[in-house]
Amino acid sequence: MSDRTLILVKPDAVKRGLVGRIIQRFEDKGFRILNIKMIEMTREMADDFYSVHRGKPFFENLVLFITSGPVVAVIMEGRNAIDAVRIMIGSTDASKAPPGSVRGDFSLGLTDNSIHASDSEESFIRETRALGLQ
Ligand code: CMP
């Protein structure tokens, strides 16, 4: 079980001024921030970051959305980080995410769902590399 993970506060949440409130939740839970950076993703970075979704019908929209404004990338450390953070962000479709989760409390969208978090060690490595954080 990995003790590190990556979250991205997505452009919709950055534009709405939610960066501090979202990151606070993870600090409150007990995660420690190892690295934090505001990034304007290029098309190339987005293509790499979301390479597992290449060819899916929502891919083009996703790349357009994630490059539409700055994101805030945070590498965090804490016990069982990947699974624990996935639970805290809620389901991909924010309209179905439970209250108390980040998406449940801050979003209604599917593409614009406020936050991304690595779903595996392999994704964490690919994503941090795509963002130039490793
Ligand atoms: P994220 O956790 O960043 O991982 C892939 C992203 O694709 C997802 O959140 C959504 O923002 C976006 N997406 C858009 N449409 C879909 C869909 N139908 N299924 C899954 N992900 C989608």
Side-chain angles (χ1 to χ4, degrees):
M1 252 352 132
S2 174
D3 284 340
R4 280 187 310 163
T5 195
L6 170 79
I7 64 154
L8 277 195
V9 182
K10 293 187 177 182
D12 57 318
V14 174
K15 281 178 189 142
R16 290 165 60 209
L18 297 173
V19 174
R21 288 165 71 191
I22 289 176
I23 293 171
Q24 185 71 57
R25 291 178 172 224
F26 297 101
E27 290 195 307
D28 288 349
K29 177 76 173 172
F31 290 105
R32 196 165 70 89
I33 294 174
L34 298 179
N35 195 355
I36 182 165
K37 193 175 182 189
M38 182 172 266
I39 298 170
E40 300 234 18
M41 284 171 77
T42 62
R43 171 142 199 136
E44 201 175 31
M45 286 162 94
D47 198 71
D48 217 12
F49 186 91
Y50 279 128
S51 58
V52 292
H53 297 298
R54 243 179 245 151
K56 294 184 185 169
F58 59 84
F59 183 74
E60 189 58 31
N61 257 352
L62 177 59
V63 168
L64 286 175
F65 166 67
I66 209 72
T67 57
S68 67
V71 300
V72 175
V74 187
I75 297 178
M76 297 184 297
E77 179 180 66
R79 185 168 162 267
N80 198 15
I82 288 179
D83 291 345
V85 167
R86 293 284 293 182
I87 291 167
M88 287 177 70
I89 71 173
S91 43
T92 304
D93 183 344
S95 72
K96 297 176 183 158
S101 66
V102 175
R103 287 167 173 160
D105 288 348
F106 294 122
S107 177
L108 263 179
L110 176 55
T111 301
D112 51 340
N113 58 0
S114 294
I115 187 165
H116 166 88
S118 306
D119 64 4
S120 64
E121 177 72 19
E122 191 188 355
S123 298
F124 171 77
I125 291 166
R126 185 191 65 254
E127 291 166 3
T128 49
R129 198 177 291 144
L131 297 176
L133 295 175
Q134 253 187 7

